[in-house]
């Protein structure tokens, strides 16, 4: 694999409609010393051919063709193939600000921190106009960077709005056995290894919302199990000085999952998962690091109580008042 300062790994699965614009935004980066590793994850819609055409006309682009294994395995394969100082990720239906790589690299180098990140915005038909990138950055030192990962949507769980020292991003870290929340768990394990992160306050990553987005698909028991695995791992591995924040995150995750089940049409297959979530919420209700945690938002506390003690009325309330996270 050709060496470059930054490798951008793009997992591609049946993204023909959006892939050309994604790759165009990548090719237009103001920082040119990158390679793009397009990991065709067994696409059947012509996406693989689009990847091959880009690799033929721009030698910064390389393609790996793999059997379908999911985005985590595709990212891991891309990282395994990379020969670079830094790693970044982009989903095949999203877009990058032209200064995304340059701005995050400058922040990482200025702070000598192994992770830099920026905000993302969401769009459906066309992204907002790209604003000028910031001239400066903020440093989030331990444990503020952990708190931001779990609670600050500007930092968020995603792998795609960040730049990583390549030593952090191992295939094992990425291919962690989860299909949902795999990015959160990978980030948590990476953040635990670093003394802080650099934060650039601009929308450097444009996240496309469409009918195929994960937030618009029906909830499954497997998805709930993955969310719980990630949340339990975070709770169990949180440093002592971060127990309260991790506990608040865990309890909020339980309430969020229960509300997602309750606001959907009743599905008998999800009844065992809902019973488990309600039992966990009940068990942690008076725990000072969970349900009685002063850091827990009042709305989350109320949603948890409604899920525990009044699931019937809660179904109606959640359907009217709540929407799934984009």
């Amino acid at each position: 694999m050709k060496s470059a300062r930054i490798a951008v790994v793009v997992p591609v699965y049946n993204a023909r409609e959006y892939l050309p614009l994604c790759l165009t935004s990548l090719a237009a980066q103001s920082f040119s010393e990158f390679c793009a590793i397009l990991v065709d994850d067994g696409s059947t819609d012509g996406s693989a051919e689009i990847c091959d055409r880009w690799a033929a006309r721009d030698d910064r682009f390389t393609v790996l063709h793999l059997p379908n294994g999911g985005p985590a395995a595709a990212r891991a394969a891309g990282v395994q193939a990379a020969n670079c100082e830094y790693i970044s990720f982009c989903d095949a239906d999203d877009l990058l600000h032209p200064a995304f790589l340059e701005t995050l690299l400058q922040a990482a180098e200025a702070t000598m921190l192994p992770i830099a990140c920026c905000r993302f915005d969401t769009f459906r038909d066309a992204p907002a106009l790209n604003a000028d990138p910031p001239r400066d950055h903020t440093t989030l030192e331990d444990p503020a960077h952990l708190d931001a990962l779990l609670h600050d949507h500007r930092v968020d769980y995603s792998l795609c709005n960040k730049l990583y020292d390549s030593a952090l991003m191992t295939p094992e870290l990425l291919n962690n056995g989860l299909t949902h929340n795999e990015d959160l768990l990978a980030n948590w394990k990476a953040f635990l290894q670093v003394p802080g992160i650099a934060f650039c306050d601009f929308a450097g990553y444009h996240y496309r919302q469409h009918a195929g987005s994960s937030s618009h698909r029906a909830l499954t028991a497997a998805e709930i199990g993955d969310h719980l695995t990630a949340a339990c791992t975070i709770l169990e591995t949180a440093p002592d000085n971060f127990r309260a924040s991790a506990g608040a995150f865990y309890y909020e995750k339980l309430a969020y999952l229960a509300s997602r089940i309750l606001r959907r049409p009743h599905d008998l297959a999800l009844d065992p998962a809902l019973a488990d979530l309600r039992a966990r919420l009940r068990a942690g209700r008076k725990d000072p690091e969970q349900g009685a945690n002063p850091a827990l938002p009042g709305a989350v506390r109320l949603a948890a109580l409604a899920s525990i003690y009044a699931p019937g009325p809660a179904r109606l309330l959640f359907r009217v008042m709540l929407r799934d996270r984009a």
Side-chain angles (χ1 to χ4, degrees):
M1 181 68 65
K2 180 181 177 181
S3 65
R5 294 212 62 201
I6 301 174
V8 183
V9 177
V10 184
V12 178
Y13 178 69
N14 288 353
R16 178 182 62 185
E17 183 178 355
Y18 308 114
L19 183 59
L21 285 177
C22 170
L23 301 184
T24 298
S25 77
L26 182 49
Q29 288 297 294
S30 58
F31 180 83
S32 61
E33 296 177 55
F34 72 88
C35 68
I37 304 175
L38 313 181
V39 187
D40 167 38
D41 190 27
S43 296
T44 58
D45 71 338
S47 294
E49 290 75 14
I50 294 173
C51 292
D52 288 337
R53 287 197 294 271
W54 271 84
R57 75 189 197 198
D58 189 331
D59 63 4
R60 295 175 299 178
F61 288 72
T62 301
V63 186
L64 301 178
H65 293 288
L66 303 177
N68 181 250
R75 292 188 190 109
V79 165
Q80 182 73 49
N83 180 14
C84 59
E85 296 177 50
Y86 293 92
I87 293 279
S88 188
F89 301 95
C90 181
D91 286 345
D93 50 357
D94 296 338
L95 303 175
L96 297 178
H97 186 291
F100 173 78
L101 294 179
E102 180 180 11
T103 304
L104 268 58
L105 178 61
Q106 289 176 346
E109 292 184 327
T111 59
M112 296 196 307
L113 290 170
I115 299 176
C117 77
C118 64
R119 290 186 286 107
F120 69 82
D121 58 15
T122 60
F123 72 99
R124 290 188 181 275
D125 298 320
L129 293 176
N130 286 308
D132 291 337
R135 296 179 179 271
D136 54 7
H137 50 265
T138 302
T139 299
L140 301 176
E141 297 180 349
D142 184 28
H145 70 309
L146 298 176
D147 195 73
L149 174 65
L150 299 187
H151 302 290
D152 187 342
H153 292 316
R154 298 178 306 161
V155 173
D156 204 69
Y157 311 159
S158 176
L159 291 163
C160 293
N161 62 329
K162 300 174 178 70
L163 181 74
Y164 303 88
D165 187 299
S166 60
L168 283 173
M169 282 291 117
T170 65
E172 295 76 20
L173 186 94
L174 291 162
N175 200 8
N176 51 34
L178 300 186
T179 302
H180 307 277
N181 257 197
E182 77 286 351
D183 47 357
L184 168 60
L185 187 56
N187 266 319
W188 172 254
K189 292 183 177 181
F191 275 47
L192 284 177
Q193 299 178 53
V194 303
I197 66 169
F199 175 71
C200 303
D201 193 9
F202 81 119
Y205 191 88
H206 306 308
Y207 173 51
R208 186 188 298 272
Q209 293 280 280
H210 54 83
S213 299
S214 60
S215 59
H216 298 291
R217 295 195 292 266
L219 191 65
T220 66
E223 180 178 351
I224 295 168
D226 282 355
H227 277 267
L228 277 176
T229 295
C232 289
T233 300
I234 289 169
L235 186 65
E236 292 163 2
T237 58
D240 290 342
N241 65 344
F242 196 68
R243 292 286 307 174
S245 184
F249 169 80
Y250 170 77
Y251 203 76
E252 184 170 354
K253 177 70 80 171
L254 297 179
Y256 165 73
L257 292 171
S259 74
R260 279 197 65 185
I261 294 174
L262 288 169
R263 80 188 76 161
R264 299 276 186 168
H266 186 206
D267 184 348
L268 288 173
L270 297 181
D271 283 352
L274 178 60
D276 176 56
L277 290 167
R278 293 177 64 209
R280 289 172 184 263
L281 286 167
R282 188 179 296 108
R285 187 174 69 84
K286 296 182 179 180
D287 188 328
E289 291 183 345
Q290 294 186 31
N293 191 326
L296 196 69
V300 174
R301 205 183 311 273
L302 289 173
L305 289 172
S307 299
I308 295 169
Y309 298 112
R315 286 186 187 274
L316 298 176
L317 181 66
F318 292 159
R319 287 172 187 171
V320 171
M321 297 185 64
L322 300 179
R323 295 291 183 271
D324 288 345
R325 180 179 173 184

